[in-house]
Amino acid sequence: MNVAVDVTIVPIGVGVSLSSYVAACEKVFAEAGLKSVLHASGTDIEGEWDEVFGAIKRCHEVVHGMGAPRISATIKLSTRTDRKQSNEDKIQSVNSKLKAAGK
Amino acid sequence: MNVAVDVTIVPIGVGVSLSSYVAACEKVFAEAGLKSVLHASGTDIEGEWDEVFGAIKRCHEVVHGMGAPRISATIKLSTRTDRKQSNEDKIQSVNSKLKAAGK
Amino acid sequence: MNVAVDVTIVPIGVGVSLSSYVAACEKVFAEAGLKSVLHASGTDIEGEWDEVFGAIKRCHEVVHGMGAPRISATIKLSTRTDRKQSNEDKIQSVNSKLKAAGK
Amino acid sequence: MNVAVDVTIVPIGVGVSLSSYVAACEKVFAEAGLKSVLHASGTDIEGEWDEVFGAIKRCHEVVHGMGAPRISATIKLSTRTDRKQSNEDKIQSVNSKLKAAGK
């Protein structure tokens, strides 16, 4: 089962600067060979369910290993069985609707 | 690694009544032996990472099997390495703060 | 427009103990006269859109005022125009499906 | 108070194709003069709290007006009082950490 997720990691108890923890997870996602795109408030990832959630678990382990005693995360996920649709397709689909509407 | 999650499942393409799909997932969580509490906009679950996410995957499979071509879900999750804290502890902790504040 | 939300507040930069901040927001929601129920990973609130989001804004202001330099929050929200459905109705609806299924 | 949000709108009861509803909200955000970036599973928006949440409310009204009887949405939001940080700054900050780590 393919899944598209958007993951936001918030390490707690390590101060206000979180970018090095986010960077560590980006590295985990890349090493897992997953297609991922960082955006302002999370990372969009797509792939096989077990690989995607395995990488998210690894990200938690790595961030705890860096000294964060607590992590709060939010994952939005989407699965569909009717057809394949990549993350790029989704953005294209919205943009083509905007174009058709003369935007 | 223990994890506390709050899962919200939104089946898409099956009309506006979603409770039978939510009930099917409640059944999955119970059958997995996980401690879970249904609330107005999701289900709080706690347990071992692999068991919790295995049950969420099974929930997606079951809901697709019931005819939903697309599922959007939101998972809030929390892991901590500093100490054990159950979901009940968390609620107690807030309530004791409210009591101390004379509420 | 009525809205049902589930709000999770994560103050950043104030250590790992967050319950006093959550308690402060519970107080804000109660003072706003909103129906709210605390659960393990958030607070379910229902009411008029402007009142609900006004209270969430007030919660952010209060938590910043308590010394948190940064807040990450997650809000799940639901609006519907086909019929009125309270948070209690939603839980009942799932439970009646579970009962009908002999669970 | 400035806020950075990531909004995901899921119209329910209108079939599986959701892009025209997402496009309608993109139009709302643009008309509100807000800085927003569409990504694979949501839209990142930054601005003054009241303007941002006013636009999200308008998005719900527009999507209901297009015929969706029910909408489920997820909003991740971030406020900070210690310093100004744009959405672009956040992405830069992570990327510079990745570069420093030789990625």
Side-chain angles (χ1 to χ4, degrees), chain C residues 58-95:
Chain C
R58 180 91 192 108
C59 153
H60 274 249
E61 291 168 342
V62 165
V63 171
H64 282 308
M66 290 169 76
R70 191 174 183 178
I71 302 168
S72 173
T74 304
I75 304 174
K76 296 182 292 189
L77 63 148
S78 171
T79 56
R80 63 190 308 176
T81 52
D82 54 340
R83 65 184 183 96
K84 281 224 155 192
Q85 188 191 37
S86 71
N87 275 344
E88 260 179 55
D89 292 342
K90 279 188 224 170
I91 294 174
Q92 289 283 21
S93 182
V94 174
N95 283 336

Side-chain angles (χ1 to χ4, degrees), chain D residues 17-67:
Chain D
S17 181
L18 308 181
S19 55
S20 56
Y21 303 93
V22 175
C25 289
E26 291 301 299
K27 210 165 150 265
V28 167
F29 303 145
E31 283 169 359
L34 293 164
K35 274 177 89 168
S36 78
V37 177
L38 175 72
H39 64 95
S41 58
T43 303
D44 284 302
I45 311 172
E46 50 192 326
E48 256 307 302
W49 182 289
D50 291 344
E51 287 170 33
V52 169
F53 282 96
I56 295 173
K57 184 186 180 186
R58 180 90 192 106
C59 154
H60 273 248
E61 290 169 342
V62 165
V63 171
H64 281 308
M66 289 169 77

Side-chain angles (χ1 to χ4, degrees), chain D residues 54-85:
Chain D
I56 295 173
K57 184 186 180 186
R58 180 90 192 106
C59 154
H60 273 248
E61 290 169 342
V62 165
V63 171
H64 281 308
M66 289 169 77
R70 193 173 181 178
I71 302 168
S72 174
T74 304
I75 303 173
K76 296 184 290 190
L77 62 149
S78 171
T79 56
R80 63 191 307 175
T81 52
D82 54 341
R83 65 183 183 97
K84 279 224 155 192
Q85 188 192 37

Side-chain angles (χ1 to χ4, degrees), chain A residues 32-91:
Chain A
L34 291 164
K35 276 177 86 166
S36 79
V37 177
L38 175 72
H39 65 95
S41 57
T43 303
D44 284 301
I45 311 171
E46 50 193 326
E48 257 306 302
W49 182 289
D50 291 344
E51 288 170 33
V52 169
F53 282 96
I56 295 173
K57 184 186 180 185
R58 181 89 191 107
C59 153
H60 273 249
E61 290 168 343
V62 165
V63 171
H64 282 309
M66 290 169 77
R70 192 175 183 178
I71 302 168
S72 173
T74 304
I75 304 173
K76 296 182 292 190
L77 63 147
S78 171
T79 55
R80 64 190 305 175
T81 52
D82 54 339
R83 64 185 184 95
K84 280 224 156 192
Q85 187 192 38
S86 72
N87 275 342
E88 260 179 56
D89 292 341
K90 278 188 224 170
I91 294 175

